[in-house]
Amino acid sequence: MEIKYLGTAAAEGWPAVFCTCEACKRARALGGKNIRTRSQAIVDNTVLIDLPPDTYLHVLREGMTIDAVESVLITHSHQDHFYPMELLMRGEPYAHQPGAPVLTVYGNDKVEAAYRMAMEMNDSPTLHAQLDFKRVMPLEPVTLPSGYVVTPLAANHAKDENCLVYLLEKDGKCLFYGHDSGSYPEETWDYLRGKMISLVSFDCTNVEAPDGNYHMGLPDNRNAKARMIREGCAGENTVFVINHFSHNGKLMHEEIVDCVREDGFVVAYDGMTVEF
Ligand SMILES: [Zn+2]
Ligand SMILES: [Zn+2]
Ligand SMILES: [Zn+2]
C-alpha cells in the first residue's frame, strides 16, 4: 500500500491565509517542506481521503488526474476536510469525461447534509449521474469497488459531530488514518485491538503542546504509540507518521524532525509518499 500526503496543515494552512505571526513569516521565508496546504491524502492513487479547498492545488502541483477516482472518504465536515462545492465541477459542462466512473463520497450525517446542500446548487445536467453519497457509521466496515475494506471509527474531535477516523485494509496491509482526533475513544481502541496496523497517521496539530481532547500534540502521539504497541495493534514494522500541523505549533519542518528523532516518527510534508 502507498499513501501520498497531498496536504499536511490544519484549517488555516501554513503559512496561514491571513496570518503574519513569526511561524508563518519563517515558513514563507524558508519555503520547501514548510509550506503546508489543507489536509488530504490519496491511497495507491485510488482512494482519496478528504476533499479540502486545496484539492485543485494538489492536483496541479502533483501532476495528477483524479477523474478515475471512485471513492473519497470524508473524515468530518470541517471546511479544511470537506469543501463540497468542488464536487459541482464534476458534471457537464465543467468536466467532459465520458466513461468516467461514479465518484462515491463516504461520510457521516453532517457531511451528508453539506453534500446535499451543495447538490441543490447544481445546474449541471449530468452531475447526479456522476456522484453518489454513502453514509457510514463507526464500526461498520464497507468494501470499496477497488477492494479496500474501510472501517470508520469514532474520533475524538468536534463534539457536535460524529467525526471519523478510518482504517483501510487490503492485501494484508492496514492503514490507520487518525485525522482529526485527540486521544481515541475506548470503542475505537476496542476495535483496533486484534488488528496489526502497517501505517499509523497521527494528528499532531499542536506539535509540542499536549491536547488530547480535540487534536493531538507530540505528548499524545507518544502515549498513543506506546499504547498501540502495548495493545498489540502495532509492532516493529509499523510506520508512525505525524501530520496535520498548525502554525500555532510554531516549529519548522526540520525542527519537528529534530524533536522526534528518538520517537521514530516520520514527519509528513506536502507531497510525501510512504510505501508500507
Ligand atoms: Zn483539520
Ligand atoms: Zn501564523
Ligand atoms: Zn477538524
Side-chain angles (χ1 to χ4, degrees):
M1 211 181 270
E2 178 197 278
I3 183 168
K4 188 179 191 72
Y5 285 86
L6 299 169
T8 60
E12 60 283 338
W14 190 355
V17 192
F18 296 106
C19 189
T20 58
C21 80
E22 208 49 45
C24 287
K25 280 184 191 159
R26 289 184 71 203
R28 280 188 195 98
L30 288 167
K33 294 176 182 173
N34 298 296
I35 305 299
R36 299 183 183 276
T37 59
R38 269 64 70 93
S39 282
Q40 187 176 35
I42 189 162
V43 178
D44 296 334
N45 281 315
T46 303
V47 183
L48 270 175
I49 308 181
D50 285 331
L51 194 79
D54 295 335
T55 302
Y56 178 51
L57 168 64
H58 297 160
V59 168
L60 289 178
R61 192 192 62 206
E62 300 299 326
M64 300 161 64
T65 50
I66 54 170
D67 53 290
V69 170
E70 291 174 286
S71 311
V72 53
L73 311 176
I74 307 296
T75 55
H76 61 304
S77 70
H78 285 169
Q79 58 90 17
D80 55 324
H81 296 260
F82 190 46
Y83 173 57
M85 302 304 287
E86 197 74 287
L87 292 168
L88 301 184
M89 298 300 108
R90 197 175 158 83
E92 291 281 355
Y94 312 109
H96 312 298
Q97 39 170 4
V102 171
L103 173 64
T104 303
V105 181
Y106 298 80
N108 65 24
D109 51 341
K110 211 159 174 177
V111 169
E112 182 169 14
Y115 170 88
R116 303 266 172 236
M117 200 188 295
M119 287 305 114
E120 279 170 22
M121 297 176 201
N122 148 49
D123 62 353
S124 161
T126 60
L127 188 72
H128 287 285
Q130 298 280 352
L131 286 171
D132 194 12
F133 188 93
K134 280 206 166 64
R135 172 97 66 93
V136 292
M137 305 291 285
L139 308 174
E140 292 182 11
V142 291
T143 303
L144 306 185
S146 43
Y148 297 82
V149 177
V150 174
T151 310
L153 296 168
N156 175 9
H157 192 49
K159 306 303 182 259
D160 60 347
E161 179 174 353
N162 299 309
C163 298
L164 300 170
V165 291
Y166 285 102
L167 200 69
L168 281 79
E169 295 170 275
K170 196 184 180 193
D171 300 334
K173 297 289 182 178
C174 177
L175 164 66
F176 177 69
Y177 192 79
H179 308 284
D180 291 354
S181 184
S183 301
Y184 312 119
E186 285 306 313
E187 63 176 279
T188 295
W189 282 109
D190 289 343
Y191 192 85
L192 292 178
R193 216 171 282 124
K195 298 286 179 188
M196 177 49 75
I197 304 169
S198 319
L199 185 142
V200 176
S201 191
F202 281 138
D203 185 316
C204 194
T205 307
N206 302 302
V207 192
E208 288 180 295
D211 175 337
N213 200 32
Y214 196 90
H215 284 298
M216 287 190 186
L218 287 173
D220 312 296
N221 299 154
R222 291 179 182 121
N223 288 339
K225 177 183 175 181
R227 182 165 175 187
M228 281 181 175
I229 291 169
R230 215 167 50 236
E231 304 259 15
C233 46
E236 56 185 22
N237 295 323
T238 303
V239 181
F240 291 89
V241 178
I242 54 174
N243 178 40
H244 192 280
F245 300 102
S246 159
H247 64 151
N248 294 320
K250 295 188 174 66
L251 297 187
M252 297 297 105
H253 180 83
E254 292 304 330
E255 293 165 346
I256 304 173
V257 170
D258 281 341
C259 258
V260 301
R261 234 171 258 290
E262 309 277 287
D263 298 296
F265 292 143
V266 176
V267 183
Y269 56 88
D270 284 23
M272 180 179 88
T273 299
V274 187
E275 269 184 68
F276 54 97

